[in-house]
Amino acid sequence: QSVLTQPPSASETPGQRVTITCSGSSSNIGNNYIYWYKLVPGTAPKLLIYKNNQRPSGVPDRFSGSKSGTSASLAISGLRSEDEADYYCAAWDDSLSGPVFGGGTKLTVL
Amino acid sequence: QVQLQESGPGLVKASETLSLTCSVSGGSVTTYYWSWLRQSPGKGLEWIGHVHNSGSRSYNPSLKSRVTISLDTSENQFSLKLTSVTAADTAMYYCARISGLRVPPGEYWGQGTLVTVSS
């Protein structure tokens, strides 16, 4: 059971927009930054969003992040086939004194 | 460009010690925090712990009694030791850099190494 809650799956057609949610509590998302990663088997996890809504260099602006209270979301617009992957949210947890993660959302591009 | 690469046995017998090394290139382990994480089959990511050159270490309480993370500045690498392993420790193990205080790992991760615990 992951500390942060994500829907296990999401799907959308190419060119459309999809939103993945992540919910937590005041000890993690409510009081700290949210991060988002893309995981593809056999490759290093890729950071998509840091500090709630900041994109690292090289991440296209099709990816955007937001946070409100103890929830956050990742939006991907202009979906492409290469966006098909597992997406994870993470935040520092004050009770654990370490980072906690969501269970991951498997995105299927139909 | 900072790169991390995990190495170590892919198969460990139950009750023995899992030992992994993360080699860092393009940057020094004398700065930032250096962490280990894992993903068990069908489950989400789990933070194992992290270390800083200052001597500061922090471990997940659920694993703390069995985990040691060490830094080797001469080799620019850091390591993970997990004792008394069971099948529940079978997972993909990742090393990653934490670039600030009270934040998750950032953009620098290894590609992971699969460790299977056999009976």
Coordinates of all heavy atoms in Angstrom, one line a residue, chain A residues 50-99:
Chain A
Y50 N 9.3 18.9 -11.1 CA 9.9 19.0 -9.8 C 9.3 20.3 -9.1 O 8.9 21.2 -9.9 CB 11.4 19.0 -9.8 CG 12.0 20.2 -10.4 CD1 12.6 21.3 -9.6 CD2 12.2 20.3 -11.8 CE1 13.2 22.4 -10.2 CE2 12.8 21.4 -12.4 CZ 13.3 22.4 -11.6 OH 13.9 23.5 -12.2
K51 N 9.3 20.4 -7.8 CA 8.8 21.5 -7.1 C 7.4 22.0 -7.6 O 7.2 23.1 -8.0 CB 9.8 22.7 -7.2 CG 11.1 22.4 -6.4 CD 12.0 23.6 -6.3 CE 13.2 23.2 -5.4 NZ 14.2 24.4 -5.3
N52 N 6.5 21.0 -7.7 CA 5.1 21.1 -8.1 C 4.8 21.4 -9.5 O 4.0 20.8 -10.1 CB 4.5 22.3 -7.3 CG 4.5 22.1 -5.8 OD1 4.7 21.0 -5.3 ND2 4.5 23.2 -5.1
N53 N 5.6 22.3 -10.2 CA 5.2 22.7 -11.5 C 6.4 23.1 -12.4 O 6.2 23.7 -13.5 CB 4.2 23.8 -11.5 CG 4.7 25.0 -10.7 OD1 5.9 25.2 -10.5 ND2 3.8 25.9 -10.3
Q54 N 7.6 22.7 -12.0 CA 8.8 23.1 -12.7 C 9.2 21.9 -13.6 O 9.2 20.8 -13.2 CB 9.9 23.5 -11.8 CG 9.6 24.6 -10.9 CD 9.3 25.9 -11.6 OE1 10.1 26.4 -12.4 NE2 8.1 26.4 -11.4
R55 N 9.6 22.3 -14.9 CA 10.1 21.2 -15.8 C 11.6 21.3 -15.9 O 12.1 22.4 -16.2 CB 9.4 21.4 -17.2 CG 8.0 21.0 -17.3 CD 7.6 21.1 -18.8 NE 7.9 22.4 -19.4 CZ 7.1 23.5 -19.2 NH1 5.9 23.3 -18.6 NH2 7.4 24.6 -19.8
P56 N 12.2 20.1 -15.8 CA 13.7 20.1 -16.1 C 13.9 20.5 -17.5 O 13.1 20.3 -18.4 CB 14.1 18.7 -15.8 CG 13.0 18.1 -14.9 CD 11.7 18.8 -15.4
S57 N 15.2 20.9 -17.8 CA 15.5 21.1 -19.2 C 15.3 19.9 -20.0 O 15.7 18.8 -19.6 CB 17.0 21.6 -19.2 OG 17.5 21.7 -20.5
G58 N 14.7 20.1 -21.2 CA 14.5 19.0 -22.1 C 13.1 18.4 -22.0 O 12.7 17.6 -22.9
V59 N 12.4 18.6 -20.9 CA 11.0 18.1 -20.8 C 10.1 19.1 -21.5 O 10.0 20.2 -21.2 CB 10.6 17.9 -19.4 CG1 9.1 17.5 -19.3 CG2 11.5 16.9 -18.7
P60 N 9.3 18.6 -22.5 CA 8.5 19.5 -23.3 C 7.4 20.1 -22.5 O 6.9 19.5 -21.5 CB 7.9 18.5 -24.4 CG 8.1 17.2 -23.9 CD 9.3 17.2 -23.0
D61 N 6.9 21.2 -22.9 CA 5.8 21.9 -22.2 C 4.5 21.2 -22.3 O 3.4 21.7 -21.8 CB 5.7 23.4 -22.6 CG 5.4 23.6 -24.1 OD1 5.2 22.6 -24.8 OD2 5.5 24.7 -24.5
R62 N 4.4 20.1 -23.0 CA 3.2 19.3 -23.0 C 2.9 18.7 -21.6 O 1.8 18.3 -21.3 CB 3.3 18.1 -24.0 CG 3.6 18.5 -25.4 CD 3.5 17.2 -26.3 NE 4.5 16.2 -26.1 CZ 4.2 15.0 -25.6 NH1 2.9 14.7 -25.2 NH2 5.2 14.1 -25.3
F63 N 4.0 18.7 -20.8 CA 3.8 18.1 -19.4 C 3.7 19.3 -18.5 O 4.5 20.2 -18.5 CB 5.1 17.3 -19.1 CG 5.2 16.0 -19.9 CD1 5.9 16.0 -21.1 CD2 4.7 14.8 -19.4 CE1 6.0 14.9 -21.9 CE2 4.8 13.7 -20.2 CZ 5.4 13.7 -21.4
S64 N 2.7 19.2 -17.6 CA 2.5 20.3 -16.6 C 2.1 19.7 -15.3 O 1.4 18.7 -15.3 CB 1.6 21.4 -17.1 OG 0.3 20.8 -17.4
G65 N 2.5 20.4 -14.2 CA 2.1 19.9 -12.9 C 1.4 21.0 -12.1 O 1.7 22.2 -12.3
S66 N 0.5 20.5 -11.2 CA -0.1 21.5 -10.3 C -0.3 20.8 -8.9 O -0.3 19.6 -8.8 CB -1.4 22.0 -10.9 OG -2.3 20.9 -11.0
K67 N -0.6 21.6 -7.9 CA -0.8 21.1 -6.6 C -1.8 22.0 -5.9 O -1.8 23.2 -6.1 CB 0.5 21.1 -5.8 CG 0.4 20.5 -4.4 CD 1.7 20.6 -3.6 CE 1.6 21.6 -2.6 NZ 2.7 21.6 -1.6
S68 N -2.7 21.4 -5.1 CA -3.7 22.1 -4.4 C -3.9 21.4 -3.1 O -4.4 20.2 -3.1 CB -5.0 22.3 -5.1 OG -5.9 23.0 -4.3
G69 N -3.6 21.9 -2.0 CA -3.8 21.3 -0.7 C -3.0 20.0 -0.6 O -1.7 20.0 -0.7
T70 N -3.7 18.9 -0.4 CA -3.0 17.6 -0.3 C -3.1 16.8 -1.5 O -2.9 15.5 -1.5 CB -3.6 16.8 0.9 OG1 -5.0 16.6 0.8 CG2 -3.3 17.6 2.3
S71 N -3.4 17.4 -2.6 CA -3.5 16.7 -3.9 C -2.7 17.4 -5.0 O -2.5 18.6 -4.9 CB -5.0 16.6 -4.4 OG -5.8 15.8 -3.5
A72 N -2.4 16.6 -6.0 CA -1.6 17.1 -7.1 C -2.0 16.4 -8.4 O -2.7 15.4 -8.3 CB -0.1 16.9 -6.9
S73 N -1.6 17.0 -9.5 CA -2.0 16.4 -10.8 C -0.9 16.6 -11.8 O -0.2 17.7 -11.7 CB -3.3 16.8 -11.3 OG -3.3 18.2 -11.5
L74 N -0.8 15.7 -12.7 CA 0.1 15.8 -13.8 C -0.7 15.8 -15.1 O -1.6 14.9 -15.2 CB 1.1 14.6 -13.9 CG 2.0 14.5 -15.1 CD1 3.0 15.6 -15.2 CD2 2.6 13.1 -15.2
A75 N -0.6 16.8 -15.9 CA -1.3 16.8 -17.2 C -0.4 16.6 -18.3 O 0.7 17.2 -18.4 CB -2.1 18.1 -17.3
I76 N -0.8 15.8 -19.3 CA 0.0 15.6 -20.5 C -1.0 15.9 -21.7 O -2.0 15.3 -21.8 CB 0.4 14.1 -20.6 CG1 1.1 13.7 -19.4 CG2 1.4 14.0 -21.8 CD1 1.5 12.2 -19.3
S77 N -0.6 16.9 -22.5 CA -1.4 17.3 -23.6 C -0.7 16.8 -24.9 O 0.5 16.5 -24.9 CB -1.6 18.8 -23.6 OG -0.3 19.4 -23.7
G78 N -1.5 16.8 -26.0 CA -0.9 16.4 -27.3 C -0.3 15.0 -27.2 O 0.8 14.8 -27.6
L79 N -1.1 14.0 -26.6 CA -0.5 12.7 -26.3 C 0.1 12.1 -27.5 O -0.4 12.2 -28.7 CB -1.6 11.8 -25.8 CG -1.9 11.7 -24.3 CD1 -3.1 10.9 -24.0 CD2 -0.6 11.2 -23.6
R80 N 1.2 11.4 -27.3 CA 2.0 10.7 -28.3 C 2.1 9.2 -27.9 O 2.1 8.9 -26.7 CB 3.3 11.3 -28.6 CG 3.3 12.7 -29.0 CD 4.7 13.3 -29.2 NE 4.7 14.7 -29.6 CZ 5.8 15.3 -29.9 NH1 7.0 14.8 -29.8 NH2 5.7 16.6 -30.3
S81 N 2.4 8.3 -28.8 CA 2.6 6.9 -28.5 C 3.7 6.7 -27.5 O 3.7 5.8 -26.6 CB 2.8 6.1 -29.7 OG 3.9 6.6 -30.4
E82 N 4.8 7.6 -27.6 CA 5.9 7.4 -26.7 C 5.6 7.8 -25.3 O 6.4 7.6 -24.4 CB 7.1 8.2 -27.2 CG 6.9 9.6 -27.4 CD 6.6 10.0 -28.9 OE1 5.9 9.2 -29.6 OE2 7.1 11.0 -29.4
D83 N 4.5 8.4 -25.0 CA 4.1 8.8 -23.7 C 3.5 7.6 -22.9 O 3.3 7.6 -21.7 CB 3.0 9.9 -23.7 CG 3.5 11.2 -24.3 OD1 4.7 11.5 -24.2 OD2 2.7 11.9 -24.9
E84 N 3.3 6.5 -23.6 CA 2.8 5.3 -22.9 C 3.9 4.7 -22.0 O 5.0 4.4 -22.4 CB 2.5 4.2 -24.0 CG 1.6 3.1 -23.4 CD 0.9 2.3 -24.5 OE1 -0.1 2.7 -25.0 OE2 1.4 1.2 -24.9
A85 N 3.6 4.7 -20.7 CA 4.6 4.4 -19.7 C 3.9 4.4 -18.3 O 2.6 4.6 -18.2 CB 5.7 5.4 -19.6
D86 N 4.6 4.1 -17.3 CA 4.1 4.3 -15.9 C 4.6 5.6 -15.3 O 5.7 6.0 -15.5 CB 4.7 3.1 -15.0 CG 4.1 1.8 -15.5 OD1 3.0 1.7 -16.0 OD2 4.9 0.8 -15.3
Y87 N 3.7 6.3 -14.7 CA 3.9 7.6 -14.1 C 3.8 7.6 -12.6 O 2.8 7.0 -12.1 CB 3.0 8.7 -14.7 CG 3.3 8.9 -16.2 CD1 2.8 8.1 -17.1 CD2 4.2 9.9 -16.6 CE1 3.1 8.3 -18.5 CE2 4.5 10.1 -17.9 CZ 3.9 9.3 -18.8 OH 4.2 9.5 -20.2
Y88 N 4.8 8.1 -11.9 CA 4.8 8.1 -10.4 C 4.9 9.5 -9.8 O 5.6 10.4 -10.4 CB 5.9 7.3 -9.9 CG 5.8 5.8 -10.0 CD1 6.1 5.2 -11.3 CD2 5.4 5.0 -9.0 CE1 5.9 3.8 -11.4 CE2 5.2 3.6 -9.1 CZ 5.5 3.1 -10.3 OH 5.4 1.7 -10.5
C89 N 4.1 9.8 -8.8 CA 4.3 11.0 -8.0 C 5.1 10.7 -6.8 O 5.2 9.6 -6.3 CB 2.9 11.6 -7.7 SG 1.9 10.6 -6.6
A90 N 5.7 11.7 -6.2 CA 6.5 11.6 -5.0 C 6.5 12.9 -4.3 O 6.4 14.0 -4.9 CB 7.9 11.2 -5.4
A91 N 6.7 12.8 -3.0 CA 6.9 14.0 -2.1 C 7.6 13.6 -0.9 O 7.6 12.4 -0.5 CB 5.5 14.6 -1.7
W92 N 8.3 14.6 -0.3 CA 8.9 14.3 1.0 C 7.8 14.1 2.1 O 6.8 14.8 2.0 CB 9.8 15.5 1.4 CG 10.6 15.3 2.6 CD1 10.3 15.6 3.9 CD2 11.9 14.6 2.7 NE1 11.3 15.2 4.8 CE2 12.3 14.6 4.0 CE3 12.7 14.0 1.7 CZ2 13.5 14.0 4.4 CZ3 13.9 13.5 2.1 CH2 14.3 13.5 3.5
D93 N 8.1 13.2 3.0 CA 7.1 13.0 4.1 C 7.7 13.4 5.4 O 8.8 12.8 5.8 CB 6.6 11.5 4.1 CG 5.5 11.3 5.0 OD1 5.7 11.2 6.2 OD2 4.3 11.2 4.6
D94 N 7.1 14.3 6.1 CA 7.7 14.8 7.4 C 7.7 13.7 8.5 O 8.5 13.7 9.3 CB 6.9 16.0 7.9 CG 7.0 17.2 6.9 OD1 8.0 17.3 6.2 OD2 6.1 18.0 6.9
S95 N 6.7 12.8 8.4 CA 6.6 11.7 9.4 C 7.7 10.7 9.2 O 8.3 10.2 10.1 CB 5.3 11.1 9.4 OG 4.2 12.0 9.7
L96 N 7.9 10.3 7.9 CA 8.9 9.3 7.6 C 10.3 9.9 7.6 O 11.3 9.2 7.8 CB 8.6 8.8 6.2 CG 9.5 7.7 5.6 CD1 9.3 6.4 6.5 CD2 9.1 7.4 4.2
S97 N 10.4 11.2 7.4 CA 11.7 11.9 7.2 C 12.4 11.3 5.9 O 13.6 11.1 5.9 CB 12.6 11.7 8.4 OG 12.1 12.5 9.5
G98 N 11.6 11.1 4.9 CA 12.1 10.5 3.6 C 11.1 10.7 2.6 O 9.9 11.1 2.9
P99 N 11.4 10.4 1.3 CA 10.4 10.6 0.3 C 9.4 9.4 0.2 O 9.8 8.3 0.5 CB 11.3 10.6 -1.0 CG 12.5 9.9 -0.6 CD 12.7 10.1 0.8

